[in-house]
């Protein structure tokens, strides 16, 4: 990699890290796991930087993150961890508008299985179509639909008072 490529890579990483870290956090539900996911995806992207710099490096990096997360949760099936917090924790009232909703949603997302959490993040945070999600995860559109349906149903159970859980089609 020459100096020009290094400079472009450094500029890209500096400018896009905050947004990509938010996506990684939503996919993992944990700050440290999000950092690991982002670094792992970046490590896989850097060797291809020369061919990506003129294309869509962010799209490639996001796809690597999605697929890396799928690999991690498939591995986790063998090594289950249990959360120590209660499943029905309700955050305290906060006068700052949507903070309560964001905290409640974040807590509810942590209680979804990784596959469902990934689909919800891609569909509703990343605003991808079902077809795009299926391509990113390497599964069928029907799988995306069923996981989305189950995830939204579970979120409705965890957050019965939230009226914002209307599914977009």
């Amino acid at each position: 990699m020459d100096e020009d490529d290094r400079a472009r890579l450094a500029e890209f990483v500096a400018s896009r890290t905050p947004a990509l870290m938010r996506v990684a956090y939503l996919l993992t539900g944990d700050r440290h796991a999000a950092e690991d996911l982002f670094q792992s995806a970046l490590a896989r992207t850097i060797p291809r930087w020369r061919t990506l710099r003129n294309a869509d490096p962010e799209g490639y990096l996001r796809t690597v993150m999605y697929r890396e997360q799928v690999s991690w949760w498939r591995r986790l099936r063998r090594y289950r961890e249990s959360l120590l917090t209660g499943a029905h924790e309700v955050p305290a009232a906060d006068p700052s508008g949507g903070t309560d909703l964001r905290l409640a949603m974040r807590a509810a997302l942590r209680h979804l299985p990784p596959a469902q959490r990934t689909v919800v993040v891609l569909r509703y945070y990343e605003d991808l179509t079902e077809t795009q999600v299926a391509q990113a995860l390497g599964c069928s559109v029907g799988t995306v639909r069923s996981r989305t349906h189950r995830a939204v149903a579970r979120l409705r159970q965890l957050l019965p008072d939230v009226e914002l859980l209307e599914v977009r089609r």
Side-chain angles (χ1 to χ4, degrees):
M1 190 180 305
D2 62 15
E3 286 297 317
D4 188 40
D5 284 340
R6 284 192 179 121
R8 287 183 183 170
L9 176 62
E11 180 183 326
F12 169 76
V13 170
S15 66
R16 298 307 304 154
T17 293
L20 292 167
M21 281 298 297
R22 281 191 299 272
V23 171
Y25 179 79
L26 290 170
L27 290 170
T28 62
D30 178 72
R31 190 181 98 221
H32 300 292
E35 290 170 356
D36 291 345
L37 177 62
F38 177 68
Q39 288 175 2
S40 176
L42 193 58
R44 290 177 181 258
T45 303
I46 289 174
R48 300 191 188 328
W49 180 255
R50 181 167 284 194
T51 58
L52 293 173
R53 67 179 178 190
N54 296 326
D56 182 19
E58 184 170 351
Y60 183 86
L61 184 60
R62 285 175 184 256
T63 300
V64 170
M65 283 174 39
Y66 305 149
R67 292 189 177 175
E68 188 74 16
Q69 177 64 14
V70 168
S71 295
W72 286 0
W73 59 255
R74 283 184 179 153
R75 275 183 258 144
L76 284 177
R77 285 183 183 168
R78 291 183 222 136
Y79 310 104
R80 288 277 182 204
E81 293 181 12
S82 58
L83 295 174
L84 297 177
T85 60
H88 298 290
E89 284 185 21
V90 179
D94 186 358
S96 62
T99 302
D100 288 340
L101 177 60
R102 285 192 300 274
L103 289 173
M105 185 62 75
R106 185 175 73 184
L109 280 172
R110 277 194 231 128
H111 294 297
L112 292 178
Q116 291 178 6
R117 182 182 328 125
T118 302
V119 170
V120 167
V121 169
L122 295 179
R123 283 284 289 134
Y124 301 110
Y125 182 78
E126 290 289 307
D127 202 26
L128 298 179
T129 65
E130 290 171 338
T131 305
Q132 291 170 324
V133 173
Q135 289 173 348
L137 299 180
C139 63
S140 70
V141 173
T143 300
V144 171
R145 287 181 182 155
S146 65
R147 286 182 183 162
T148 302
H149 176 76
R150 287 187 201 115
V152 170
R154 179 68 176 138
L155 288 172
R156 285 185 177 139
Q157 285 177 344
L158 294 170
L159 302 168
D161 298 333
V162 177
E163 296 176 9
L164 301 176
L165 292 178
E166 294 302 316
V167 177
R168 294 182 311 209
R169 297 237 179 220

